[in-house]
Amino acid sequence: MIPLDFTPVSTLMTVSRRLAEYGWLPATSGNLSLKAPDHSVWITRSGSDKQVLAAEDILHMSPAGMILAGHGKPSFETAIHLAIYQVTDATAVFHVHTVANNLIARYADQGTITIGPHEMVKALDHWDETAQLQLPVLPNLADMDQLAQRVVDRLDPKVPGILLENHGIYVFGRSPAITLRYLEAWEFLFRWTLDSRLHDALDRLLLLNNRI
């Protein structure tokens, strides 16, 4: 649980421990950030092991990306975090690489993957029991400025996430707690969708075998 008296640094450390328990931050992957009321940003630095994130692994940056406090290089994907903050009301952006979010991106059709209907969609603030969300999926690019612009072009404020092929998901929300809820919901829905596809394929195979 995120404490009510959180600071940006302690909050990022709390969130990273939670995500590490899930196994979502392997091999120094992922990056986490928060936007302060003055629009400055606190973000994990490049190469830090988020499974054991320490205070010195977090940098304080201006909205333009200049380092205000801390040592080291900011996350290589800082431009994407800053771009999301500029075009949404988000105060947190969490990015993780998981097997499930990498696999689900392979099923994208014309740049989107349909998720739902499922009860867990309500955790993404969509309350219609028949709701289906169209999650944007983009190819991964080495040019971060170009990728950040493509992310901005595809963002849907009503769908708090965006997937990069063979990479991972960016999730954004109005608070750290909300963003964490969104991320947990997405990952549950990804696993459910993948398992459903597998079970459907097995059912078809069994039906075919019974006809032979």
Side-chain angles (χ1 to χ4, degrees):
M1 182 176 179
I2 297 173
L4 294 177
D5 59 344
F6 70 91
T7 66
V9 171
S10 67
T11 299
L12 288 174
M13 291 172 66
T14 298
V15 170
S16 69
R17 285 194 296 270
R18 174 85 157 259
L19 300 182
E21 290 174 358
Y22 298 149
W24 294 352
L25 296 170
T28 75
S29 68
N31 33 79
L32 314 170
S33 71
L34 301 177
K35 185 176 74 173
D38 65 358
H39 298 287
S40 64
V41 174
W42 299 80
I43 191 166
T44 50
R45 69 180 179 181
S46 179
S48 60
D49 186 348
K50 288 82 182 178
Q51 297 180 95
V52 288
L53 193 70
E56 57 266 27
D57 295 323
I58 299 168
L59 303 179
H60 189 200
M61 305 184 68
S62 73
M66 295 181 60
I67 296 177
L68 303 175
H71 301 283
K73 295 181 179 180
S75 168
F76 183 62
E77 296 159 15
T78 296
I80 297 176
H81 289 250
L82 296 178
I84 292 173
Y85 288 133
Q86 288 171 2
V87 298
T88 70
D89 62 356
T91 65
V93 176
F94 301 154
H95 170 55
V96 298
H97 304 197
T98 69
V99 173
N101 66 39
N102 273 257
L103 286 175
I104 201 70
R106 298 173 63 181
Y107 294 100
D109 181 16
Q110 298 183 349
T112 61
I113 182 76
T114 300
I115 301 295
H118 191 281
E119 178 72 14
M120 191 61 77
V121 171
K122 293 178 180 178
L124 297 166
D125 292 331
H126 288 262
W127 299 96
D128 186 338
E129 61 271 14
T130 64
Q132 290 183 305
L133 304 187
Q134 303 299 317
L135 178 63
V137 181
L138 294 175
N140 192 23
L141 300 176
D143 185 327
M144 282 299 108
D145 290 333
Q146 184 180 1
L147 182 56
Q149 184 57 55
R150 291 193 181 186
V151 167
V152 167
D153 291 343
R154 291 294 310 280
L155 277 184
D156 180 351
K158 296 181 180 179
V159 181
I162 192 162
L163 274 172
L164 300 184
E165 295 174 349
N166 301 314
H167 190 89
I169 190 169
Y170 286 86
V171 179
F172 52 92
R174 299 183 309 278
S175 74
I178 289 173
T179 307
L180 182 59
R181 166 162 57 87
Y182 288 163
L183 178 54
E184 291 175 340
W186 281 125
E187 291 293 332
F188 175 93
L189 288 163
F190 295 157
R191 295 194 302 273
W192 170 76
T193 302
L194 291 167
D195 285 350
S196 294
R197 287 176 177 265
L198 176 59
H199 284 292
D200 288 346
L202 290 174
D203 287 343
R204 289 192 296 270
L205 181 60
L206 289 172
L207 181 61
L208 178 62
N209 287 338
N210 289 335
R211 290 176 177 175
I212 297 175

